[in-house]
Amino acid sequence: MTTATDAILDHHEHKATGIKRWLFTTNHKDIGSMYLWFAFIMFLLGGSMAMVIRAELFQPGLQLINPDFFNQLTTVHGLIMVFGAVMPAFVGLANWMIPMMIGAPDMALPRLNNWSFWILPFAFSILLMSFFLGGAPNFGWTFYAPLSTTYSNGSTAFFVFAVHIMGISSIMGAINVIVTIINMRAPGMSYMKMPLFVWTFLITAYLLIAVMPVLAGVVTMVLTDTYFGTSFFDASGGGDPVMFQHIFWFFGHPEVYIMILPAFGIVSTTIPAFSRKKLFGYSSMVYATSSIAFLSFIVWAHHMFTTGMPLLGELFFMYCTMLIAVPTGVKIFNWMATMWRGSISFEVPMLFSIAFVILFTIGGFSGLMLAMAPVDFQYHDTYFVVAHFHYVLVTGSIFSIFAAAYYWLPKWTGHMFNERLGKAHFWCSLVSVNLLFFPMHFLGLAGMPRRIPDYALQFADFNMWVSIGGFAFGLSQLIFLAVVIKCIRGGEKAPAKPWDGAEGLEWTVPSPAPYHTFATPPKID
Amino acid sequence: MDKPENTKTKKLVNKLLIIVIAMFGFGFAMVPLYDVFCDITGLNGKTATEAAQANEGDIDITREIKVQFISQAAKDMPWLFRPEVAEISVRPGETRIIKFYAKNQSSQKMVGQSVPSVAPGRAANYFKKVACFCFEQQTLEGQEEVWMPLKFYIDADIPPDVTTLTLSYTLYDITTKIES
Amino acid sequence: MKSRYLGWPLLGALFFNSAWAESKFNLTQGVTEASREVYDLHMLVLYICTVIGVIVFGAMAWSMFFHRKSKGYVPATFHESTKVELLWTIIPIIILIGMAYPATLTLIDLENNDDSDLTIQVTGSQWKWHYKYFDQDVEFYSSLSTPRAQWDNLSGVGEAKGENYLLEVDNSLVIPINRKVRFLITSDDVIHSWWVPAFAVKQDAIPGFINEAWTNVTEPGTFRGQCAELCGKDHGYMPIVVDALAEDEFDGWLQAQKEAAIAAVEAEKASLAERMTLDELMALGESTYQTACAACHQPNGQGLPPAFPALKGSPIAIGDISKHIDIVVNGVPGTSMQAFGKQLSLKQLAAVITYERNAWGNNTGDLVQTSDVKAATGK
């Protein structure tokens, strides 16, 4: 019945065409698509910067770029990947899927939704412009003071304005997600009946509104310290550079959980589907996600073990950080238990999901090692840290986004993607990503610091392999581009539910999903 | 959307916006909060910015603490700056005066500000400065030199495991900051 | 060697340490008791993670093989079990406590900076380290000494890279073995970080604040580290080299340094009367420039504007001499231009200023002598 109503609505729809459609759309599917395309373009752009970085680091010596430009590249690579690729991709998935999953016709605040998206390209234009206006930010995406304030290269203003706008986009998006989930669930869909995907996004959205304003605060302080004579972080004026780190990481740590909780939601959707078995321990998954979110607020100073913290402080943050391993472990065991004695098939979404579980766990292990404060003195600010966060963010978040894309591409486009190409994308990515990031553990243990454009000779061999892995991984993403474009343009017609083990309201509507879905809410039993 | 939906949405949006604004305020509130926390615990090695009362308590004659003094002028600060002595032994509760020498080696009048830092951080709270040149700015004419006093005692409550305490002063040029 | 918790890693250590220790894949054991404690803790956590990984990935692999749809496996329907959830919550907690206990003990050891035999002040700045032996008149700067020709390959070819490429300095820090050496670490500008892996010492150098660290090296040798906090363009070019000497050798070295410092002061006084020729000034000036100035102002004097202005054709290098001297000696507040009066001797200052005024076609014909520098700045 719902489908018929939808069809009627579609028939009377005056959908705008061309640029106007995209500029003014308030449709969650359109906005979701824009976020996803924006994120993918940013991923390729940030990835290109990484390619230049790896080209320079391919051999010892300074071959291609000067050290200051190298610092600009590493900084902007980080900013783009965090704020331009991972976060917008998750918001895009939220936009596309949440209304359908809860049986709602759209997001709660559709016009705000449009705004939240369109300020993003604006923000990144400001950031990228700085390359041509005296130099981009070169102080790391973590912009520690006073390198970013008193000793800045003049890019601080661009950086701060861009980050403010990105922050506003995230906050507005998060408010939209929360209101949608709380107010617009179909009757009968209690909180504990929501798909876990929806839960993880609800919790992530709360994290966002809690910490993005703190980021806004700290970048404002950086702005005033740099240009308006305040001394928040300037010792000569009575300020404290370490206070910057406290405030930044109070945002920064929950931020990295913001970048992984949605991944947990995605994988909690795909693994049951392709194991043909319900998610193991639904309630504990909800509680585990909530515990992780709560704990994420009290671990921030594990990024600061070498700043001269007193013993008690280091112990507190070490213990709390180790504690986060518990709910995270619970989730991993639950995914395993979902697969255990299921009936598993290995379509591309499942390949990425399984790779996620294994490789994210490796990232979790290096995270546990980093949590041990006395040993962190050896790991901090080395490639060991770079290995850790790339495992959790690339083989973690990014792989989950690929899993989600492959899982829902049939729903979005109405076509099945080319399975062979998809598998090629997976296997090329899997091999190259490990070649790229695993040796970084060894480099860090051997003593190679982060953020250096050139290195001592004992680091040469591993760096060469890492760079080769990097180039291969970058190229592999072009396969994904091909898969997506081909899928949009044609391919085997996709049924409403192409995956026989899948569950959820989104599979009750046709593929491609009609422009408007669930104009009348479905009945949930 | 019908009316009850709209109000529900508005109410929730308002609640969430309040959280957003509150967290923005919290970000700024962290600044004084951090200072208070460090004041109370001395955790970042910062000492008080106001004079302490002279010590009325007893002197603990059972132990001695090595107090070291180091000084540096900031990179672009052309002043000489050094303590009269590098290290002394004091008993907790005992009041001592140490003088620091400063000379403006440039030919212009300049204003300097000394910023103290104590290691270990947990000892900072027990280092009581009764009078310190670091509480005020120092104005020196070109080539002028001066001896600046530090009068202090170590609180007798200082934990027994602190046997060495290092006080470091960094001297900054705030001439242009003052002018603006 | 503290053996209170060695039971755990001892087992694995017997098998693996001989193979793993000092392998290019692993953390160094270092040369201090503290660094060995840190290494043991690292191995403990690594073993635990490996065991957990084998179990978890093994179970997944089993599942992926035996519970396959293509094999016709029929899915079970269970999807919860409080008992199992409790089990895999409580067991990890116990394992974590097992790790937290030795970690706490090691941290307490590392944070105990008291009762040191020697204190050294370490100051990081862009982009070199400064060392001062507390309460001795011995202090010096320590800068990267790898020749530019080895690392600058931007214009194509470069010289072959030496063995300690990017990890060598002009003046190493020298410390005695078997004595507790305490470091008081701070910075002159941005945050740096002083790190020597062989000592397991890493503490941030924070402007306006001092941090403490200590080490007690048990064997003589040369140990190399790097700055471990992004501090600007040459963050990768400010290494740390520590020579650990036998105690009597160290005492001899320190004494020689003190005498050399006194001699340098005498030489400085004497140089005030010296009159160097243009050739002498240009020769000393060029080598001083390459070490102290070229990183920013570039060997060809063209700088990297706007941050680092060109000296070639610069109104300052061609114009008023006293202004030129003032900038070099006292720096320019609010910019990256440091006060080199503190780092260079009067003779070096005179030479480098003369060089800047005559090189790259500037050709002012000015000669700046040590007495000129002293007169202009009252240094």
Side-chain angles (χ1 to χ4, degrees):
Chain A
M1 279 245 320
T2 318
T3 333
T5 328
D6 290 336
I8 292 168
L9 278 171
D10 246 359
H11 190 72
H12 290 291
E13 197 45 47
H14 293 294
K15 219 197 282 180
T17 49
I19 302 261
K20 271 196 164 172
R21 167 179 167 190
W22 298 104
L23 270 178
F24 298 112
T25 180
T26 55
N27 180 288
H28 73 101
K29 302 185 177 75
D30 276 353
I31 294 175
S33 300
M34 289 197 291
Y35 266 111
L36 288 169
W37 271 115
F38 176 78
F40 190 42
I41 293 170
M42 287 287 114
F43 176 63
L44 293 176
L45 181 59
S48 310
M49 296 184 188
M51 296 299 103
V52 178
I53 292 170
R54 286 318 320 175
E56 177 58 64
L57 292 173
F58 185 59
Q59 283 181 315
L62 214 53
Q63 284 85 248
L64 301 170
I65 54 180
N66 68 55
D68 184 63
F69 187 64
F70 183 88
N71 290 346
Q72 293 179 33
L73 284 180
T74 50
T75 303
V76 181
H77 163 78
L79 288 169
I80 286 186
M81 289 309 198
V82 169
F83 294 107
V86 174
M87 287 172 79
F90 283 139
V91 178
L93 290 172
N95 261 289
W96 246 110
M97 305 314 302
I98 292 180
M100 288 200 288
M101 284 182 168
I102 60 175
D106 205 303
M107 298 290 284
L109 304 158
R111 268 172 306 185
L112 188 72
N113 207 9
N114 173 291
W115 249 77
S116 304
F117 172 74
W118 278 111
I119 59 178
L120 274 185
F122 183 58
F124 280 90
S125 305
I126 295 180
L127 180 64
L128 295 170
M129 236 173 29
S130 61
F131 271 114
F132 307 105
L133 293 170
N138 59 359
F139 28 75
W141 89 274
T142 51
F143 63 105
Y144 280 11
L147 183 62
S148 58
T149 54
T150 318
Y151 295 87
S152 161
N153 64 348
S155 61
T156 303
F158 291 105
F159 168 78
V160 169
F161 291 134
V163 169
H164 266 304
I165 299 172
M166 294 168 201
I168 293 173
S169 167
S170 291
I171 292 172
M172 297 200 299
I175 291 180
N176 221 339
V177 166
I178 294 174
V179 179
T180 305
I181 295 175
I182 291 188
N183 280 359
M184 295 175 71
R185 279 161 297 128
M189 182 172 284
S190 62
Y191 285 113
M192 294 308 262
K193 283 215 181 108
M194 296 193 312
L196 201 74
F197 179 92
V198 181
W199 262 114
T200 56
F201 274 89
L202 178 63
I203 295 172
T204 303
Y206 270 113
L207 281 179
L208 273 165
I209 60 167
V211 300
M212 290 304 289
V214 176
L215 175 67
V218 80
V219 297
T220 307
M221 292 184 221
V222 162
L223 188 72
T224 58
D225 259 27
T226 311
Y227 298 104
F228 300 114
T230 56
S231 301
F232 289 105
F233 314 121
D234 178 7
S236 71
D240 184 352
V242 177
M243 183 177 74
F244 170 86
Q245 295 183 36
H246 281 291
I247 307 180
F248 173 77
W249 284 115
F250 186 80
F251 147 79
H253 197 79
E255 166 66 18
V256 309
Y257 286 96
I258 287 167
M259 291 196 283
I260 200 64
L261 291 188
F264 292 164
I266 292 168
V267 158
S268 302
T269 312
T270 51
I271 290 185
F274 295 99
S275 306
R276 293 164 185 78
K277 199 153 144 290
K278 275 181 143 45
L279 179 68
F280 187 88
Y282 173 90
S283 349
S284 42
M285 291 297 252
V286 174
Y287 297 135
T289 310
S290 314
S291 326
I292 292 173
F294 168 72
L295 281 170
S296 74
F297 281 102
I298 56 173
V299 298
W300 76 87
H302 66 226
H303 300 271
M304 299 167 55
F305 281 142
T306 60
T307 57
M309 256 200 291
L311 179 66
L312 283 173
E314 304 208 324
L315 288 174
F316 173 77
F317 286 107
M318 174 169 77
Y319 297 150
C320 288
T321 307
M322 291 171 76
L323 210 53
I324 286 203
V326 178
T328 313
V330 164
K331 295 184 86 73
I332 294 174
F333 298 136
N334 281 20
W335 289 318
M336 266 176 55
T338 307
M339 287 171 68
W340 188 262
R341 296 187 55 211
S343 179
I344 305 172
S345 58
F346 299 95
E347 289 85 335
V348 182
M350 186 57 164
L351 291 174
F352 275 106
S353 306
I354 294 174
F356 170 93
V357 176
I358 296 174
L359 299 174
F360 171 79
T361 302
I362 292 181
F365 286 147
S366 55
L368 184 60
M369 292 167 77
L370 287 161
M372 316 295 283
V375 203
D376 183 62
F377 291 160
Q378 297 281 53
Y379 307 140
H380 174 71
D381 241 283
T382 69
Y383 264 80
F384 193 81
V385 180
V386 181
H388 161 71
F389 66 71
H390 281 100
Y391 262 90
V392 292
L393 281 174
V394 181
T395 63
S397 307
I398 302 275
F399 270 27
S400 78
I401 294 169
F402 286 143
Y406 282 105
Y407 187 58
W408 282 308
L409 262 174
K411 181 59 53 187
W412 299 337
T413 62
H415 307 121
M416 295 306 290
F417 55 83
N418 183 319
E419 180 91 5
R420 275 184 68 224
L421 267 184
K423 288 208 157 110
H425 173 226
F426 171 74
W427 288 107
C428 291
S429 297
L430 183 72
V431 172
S432 56
V433 87
N434 282 295
L435 185 60
L436 167 55
F437 295 122
F438 203 78
M440 289 188 180
H441 293 108
F442 306 136
L443 281 172
L445 293 179
M448 181 176 174
R450 283 174 76 169
R451 296 167 162 169
I452 56 176
D454 192 5
Y455 46 79
L457 297 179
Q458 64 261 36
F459 306 130
D461 287 342
F462 283 136
N463 266 294
M464 186 187 72
W465 288 113
V466 166
S467 287
I468 292 174
F471 302 141
F473 184 68
L475 283 174
S476 306
Q477 305 325 303
L478 298 178
I479 307 178
F480 182 65
L481 181 62
V483 170
V484 172
I485 293 179
K486 281 173 80 96
C487 188
I488 291 173
R489 298 172 83 194
E492 185 193 324
K493 200 161 162 21
K497 186 164 103 157
W499 318 116
D500 65 89
E503 274 180 13
L505 288 172
E506 72 265 33
W507 306 111
T508 64
V509 304
S511 304
Y515 201 58
H516 296 295
T517 42
F518 299 116
T520 29
K523 267 203 132 333
I524 318 288
D525 29 65
Chain B
M1 269 195 288
D2 37 334
K3 273 222 150 134
E5 287 298 313
N6 246 333
T7 336
K8 249 176 61 180
T9 298
K10 270 206 194 131
K11 275 182 152 181
L12 185 53
V13 171
N14 288 337
K15 261 196 256 174
L16 295 173
L17 278 172
I18 290 176
I19 299 180
V20 170
I21 294 169
M23 289 309 289
F24 184 72
F26 179 69
F28 279 94
M30 276 204 244
V31 179
L33 271 173
Y34 178 82
D35 279 342
V36 165
F37 190 70
C38 291
D39 261 356
I40 298 178
T41 59
L43 282 183
N44 65 345
K46 265 174 137 175
T47 49
T49 43
E50 283 167 356
Q53 293 294 325
N55 185 29
E56 321 226 308
D58 294 324
I59 296 177
D60 180 355
I61 56 169
T62 61
R63 57 189 279 218
E64 295 212 331
I65 297 182
K66 240 193 314 186
V67 182
Q68 298 175 327
F69 302 99
I70 58 182
S71 63
Q72 49 262 336
K75 227 188 327 203
D76 52 2
M77 182 55 158
W79 288 23
L80 289 178
F81 180 46
R82 56 173 181 267
E84 63 170 321
V85 65
E87 186 175 298
I88 56 174
S89 245
V90 297
R91 301 201 193 94
E94 193 186 330
T95 304
R96 299 284 286 269
I97 300 183
I98 297 292
K99 295 199 292 288
F100 282 73
Y101 169 78
K103 177 178 178 187
N104 177 354
Q105 292 187 94
S106 78
S107 47
Q108 260 82 277
K109 172 159 122 173
M110 290 179 72
V111 187
Q113 173 74 55
S114 303
V115 173
S117 176
V118 169
R122 67 185 188 283
N125 227 24
Y126 299 93
F127 191 84
K128 306 289 189 193
K129 306 197 293 279
V130 179
C132 180
F133 57 90
C134 57
F135 295 147
E136 288 124 22
Q137 300 154 358
Q138 299 298 323
T139 307
L140 289 181
E141 299 290 337
Q143 299 296 314
E144 189 186 340
E145 46 187 16
V146 71
W147 282 97
M148 308 179 292
L150 163 69
K151 184 173 179 184
F152 74 94
Y153 69 91
I154 297 181
D155 195 312
D157 288 333
I158 191 167
D161 59 316
V162 179
T163 58
T164 311
L165 189 153
T166 308
L167 173 65
S168 162
Y169 281 107
T170 310
L171 182 61
Y172 289 102
D173 175 10
I174 55 169
T175 319
T176 36
K177 262 206 183 141
I178 300 290
E179 282 162 16
S180 57
Chain C
M1 181 77 183
K2 303 203 169 59
S3 54
R4 55 199 153 206
Y5 58 89
L6 226 78
W8 274 79
L10 198 64
L11 209 64
L14 291 170
F15 290 133
F16 290 109
N17 269 9
S18 49
W20 278 116
E22 309 315 325
S23 109
K24 65 175 181 174
F25 292 99
N26 202 3
L27 186 65
T28 178
Q29 284 186 309
V31 294
T32 73
E33 207 178 289
S35 68
R36 283 184 268 264
E37 266 187 70
V38 164
Y39 172 83
D40 286 339
L41 189 59
H42 158 80
M43 291 308 284
L44 174 68
V45 186
L46 188 55
Y47 286 147
I48 293 176
C49 290
T50 308
V51 169
I52 298 176
V54 165
I55 296 174
V56 172
F57 302 152
M60 285 187 72
W62 180 277
S63 206
M64 284 194 274
F65 187 77
F66 288 106
H67 305 151
R68 275 182 292 164
K69 174 158 187 268
S70 60
K71 277 205 149 204
Y73 196 85
V74 175
T77 50
F78 65 83
H79 57 268
E80 57 187 0
S81 162
T82 315
K83 195 176 69 177
V84 162
E85 302 268 23
L86 275 174
L87 212 64
W88 62 45
T89 305
I90 292 175
I91 293 181
I93 292 181
I94 296 174
I95 296 176
L96 287 173
I97 294 175
M99 290 197 261
Y101 178 66
T104 305
L105 295 175
T106 305
L107 192 61
I108 291 175
D109 278 344
L110 259 54
E111 298 278 328
N112 177 3
N113 294 293
D114 285 333
D115 301 320
S116 56
D117 299 308
L118 172 67
T119 296
I120 298 177
Q121 294 165 242
V122 177
T123 305
S125 60
Q126 288 175 320
W127 287 281
K128 52 187 159 300
W129 295 96
H130 179 266
Y131 301 113
K132 180 175 193 308
Y133 290 76
F134 177 74
D135 206 15
Q136 325 272 349
D137 274 318
V138 180
E139 58 176 290
F140 49 86
Y141 282 91
S142 181
S143 312
L144 175 70
S145 63
T146 301
R148 197 193 177 93
Q150 281 186 27
W151 54 261
D152 184 351
N153 305 134
L154 279 169
S155 27
V157 202
E159 235 173 62
K161 296 173 171 56
E163 190 193 338
N164 292 311
Y165 177 72
L166 293 191
L167 290 178
E168 48 197 354
V169 296
D170 48 6
N171 304 306
S172 323
L173 178 65
V174 180
I175 62 174
I177 61 171
N178 296 328
R179 289 207 201 132
K180 185 165 180 176
V181 180
R182 178 168 155 257
F183 303 103
L184 291 172
I185 302 170
T186 187
S187 163
D188 233 357
D189 40 40
V190 297
I191 300 180
H192 300 267
S193 191
W194 198 80
W195 178 37
V196 181
F199 305 164
V201 167
K202 180 187 288 150
Q203 280 292 286
D204 286 356
I206 299 171
F209 293 82
I210 44 167
N211 275 338
E212 283 180 305
W214 68 271
T215 192
N216 190 329
V217 181
T218 54
E219 53 187 80
T222 302
F223 307 105
R224 304 172 192 273
Q226 292 187 263
C227 175
E229 185 59 63
L230 178 65
C231 55
K233 75 177 182 74
D234 285 348
H235 163 58
Y237 298 94
M238 47 183 290
I240 293 142
V241 180
V242 183
D243 284 328
L245 303 180
E247 288 120 298
D248 46 352
E249 271 184 66
F250 171 78
D251 292 334
W253 175 88
L254 192 63
Q255 188 54 34
Q257 292 304 302
K258 286 192 208 175
E259 287 162 10
I262 296 174
V265 173
E266 299 301 313
E268 186 110 306
K269 284 207 194 113
S271 74
L272 286 174
E274 249 184 74
R275 288 262 154 289
M276 291 195 278
T277 65
L278 183 63
D279 286 338
E280 285 169 337
L281 285 167
M282 290 300 279
L284 178 60
E286 184 176 2
S287 63
T288 309
Y289 181 85
Q290 294 305 334
T291 317
C293 322
C296 300
H297 290 293
Q298 302 302 299
N300 59 14
Q302 288 177 344
L304 290 168
F308 309 116
L311 300 181
K312 174 182 162 127
S314 142
I316 293 173
I318 305 182
D320 182 41
I321 295 185
S322 48
K323 184 152 168 63
H324 187 176
I325 296 177
D326 180 56
I327 289 181
V328 175
V329 173
N330 294 318
V332 180
T335 70
S336 310
M337 180 60 192
Q338 304 161 19
F340 282 91
K342 299 183 190 180
Q343 301 175 37
L344 302 173
S345 68
L346 283 175
K347 203 163 165 182
Q348 286 172 309
L349 288 165
V352 80
I353 294 170
T354 305
Y355 178 75
E356 287 168 3
R357 301 186 73 77
N358 291 293
W360 320 300
N362 281 354
N363 294 340
T364 57
D366 292 330
L367 274 74
V368 179
Q369 302 289 349
T370 42
S371 49
D372 297 327
V373 178
K374 186 155 175 77
T377 60
K379 186 181 174 262

